[in-house]
Amino acid sequence: NAGVTQTPKFRVLKTGQSMTLLCAQDMNHEYMYWYRQDPGMGLRLIHYSVGEGTTAKGEVPDGYNVSRLKKQNFLLGLESAAPSQTSVYFCASRSTGGGTEAFFGQGTRLTVV
Amino acid sequence: KNEVEQSPQNLTAQEGEFITINCSYSVGISALHWLQQHPGGGIVSLFMLSSGKKKHGRLIATINIQEKHSSLHITASHPRDSAVYICAVRDDKIIFGKGTRLHILP
C-alpha cells in the first residue's frame, strides 16, 4: 500500500478526549476517503473528498469532522470521543477516471475507554 | 437492502479446491474492486474491473455489468489463501461489501 500513510497506527483515548487522524498520499490523487471497520459490519464510509477544499458525508458521519486543506492530506477529527467510536479506521485514495486503481492505508486501531 | 451483497459470508474448503466468491450490487458503478485482508492486517487490492475478466496467478475475477454481478475464483486453493475477501464498488464513493471469510484447510 505504498503511497497512502495513516498516522497514528494505534491510539487509546479516554471518553471525551479529542484527536485527529491523518491520511497522507503522495500520488496527487483527487479522491480521498475515511472508513471505519467493525466486526460483522464491513467497511463503512464516514466522509470523503473529491478534491482539495471539498468534503462530503458518507454513511456514518456523526461524531466525526474532516478537512482537506491540502490535496495530499485528509484529516479525520473526533471532537469528543465515545466508546462507540472504538474501531479500525482506514483511509483510501484514488485519482479521477473510471479505470484508476484505489490505494489503502494500513489502518489506525483506535480504542476509546 | 445493502448496495453490495457478497456470498457466502463464510467458506471453509479443503486445500486444492476451486473457490468461488460472489458479489452483487445495486448501484451504478465505474469500477469494481476485489480486495484481500488478513486478520489484523491491511487491505490489499487484488483486482480492479470495469468489464470482462482478469487473471493473476491462481486468482480470476469476472464482472457482468448488465447483471451487476462479479465473481472471484481461486484455483488450487492453499491454506495461505485464508483471509477475508472483500468486494467494493465505486463511482464517486467506494462502497464495500461485508466480506467473505475464507478458511482453507490443509
Side-chain angles (χ1 to χ4, degrees), chain B residues 53-79:
Chain B
K53 177 180 176 179
K54 286 189 176 180
K55 184 176 189 291
H56 181 69
R58 294 181 294 107
L59 301 178
I60 303 165
T62 64
I63 187 169
N64 184 318
I65 296 293
Q66 287 73 29
E67 294 186 3
K68 295 189 174 180
H69 182 268
S70 176
S71 294
L72 176 69
H73 305 286
I74 305 175
T75 62
S77 58
H78 190 276

Side-chain angles (χ1 to χ4, degrees), chain A residues 1 31 33 35 37 40-43 45 48 90 94 97-102 104 106, chain B residues 30-31 33 35 37 40-45 48 86 90-94 96-98:
Chain A
N1 295 331
Y31 290 75
Y33 308 85
Y35 295 87
Q37 186 179 37
M41 302 295 291
L43 282 93
L45 182 62
Y48 66 106
F90 284 96
R94 68 173 181 93
T100 56
E101 186 59 84
F104 296 87
Q106 286 298 308
Chain B
S30 59
H33 296 265
L35 308 151
Q37 186 177 31
I43 297 168
V44 176
S45 180
M48 185 193 66
I86 306 169
R90 79 165 202 229
D91 198 2
D92 271 358
K93 303 177 190 177
I94 304 176
F96 290 78
K98 292 186 178 181

Side-chain angles (χ1 to χ4, degrees), chain A residues 78-95:
Chain A
L78 286 73
E79 288 188 351
S80 179
S84 61
Q85 293 176 305
T86 294
S87 188
V88 180
Y89 292 84
F90 284 96
C91 171
S93 75
R94 68 173 181 93
S95 62

